[in-house]
Amino acid sequence: MTSFSKSEACPSSHELLQYENGDMPLDEGRYVREHLAKCEFCSAEVEFYAHYPQTEDEVVETADIPAPLYDLAESLLSTKRNKISSLDRLLHETED
């Protein structure tokens, strides 16, 4: 894996979920929006929440990202850059 990870400067998963669900005050939302413009990891996490809605009770804070979530985030970013998506590969592997 590369250095694709959350840093100490990143909003927590709880904050990102609040942002995605529209449950965040405007001033905090502005900070998160600015952060998302610079941070591919957090952008991928918010996109994950958009595709797979969750409640705040389901978010687990962890220092290490699980391999399947890492692969999903990586494939979402690859798709945004018009690269071959590894998400298709992952989906086809599960169908076999």
Side-chain angles (χ1 to χ4, degrees):
M1 291 188 186
T2 64
S3 63
F4 183 73
S5 63
K6 196 166 214 153
S7 74
E8 290 184 23
C10 291
S12 68
S13 293
H14 173 78
E15 291 170 312
L16 294 174
L17 182 60
Q18 279 186 318
Y19 175 83
E20 174 56 32
N21 289 341
D23 297 333
M24 180 172 274
L26 287 176
D27 58 332
E28 290 178 47
R30 189 173 303 114
Y31 162 75
V32 172
R33 189 171 37 261
E34 290 171 2
H35 178 80
L36 293 174
K38 301 179 283 188
C39 181
E40 290 182 336
F41 184 89
C42 289
S43 295
E45 186 173 347
V46 169
E47 192 162 340
F48 177 81
Y49 295 146
H51 285 88
Y52 301 97
Q54 302 183 27
T55 64
E56 291 183 30
D57 296 334
E58 295 172 316
V59 175
V60 176
E61 295 287 339
T62 180
D64 296 324
I65 184 169
L69 181 56
Y70 177 90
D71 290 341
L72 175 63
E74 186 178 59
S75 68
L76 290 171
L77 290 171
S78 295
T79 301
K80 281 186 172 183
R81 295 185 194 121
N82 295 322
K83 293 182 181 177
I84 297 173
S85 174
S86 57
L87 180 58
D88 289 331
R89 178 181 49 78
L90 291 171
L91 291 173
H92 292 298
E93 286 177 5
T94 60
E95 291 173 357
D96 295 336

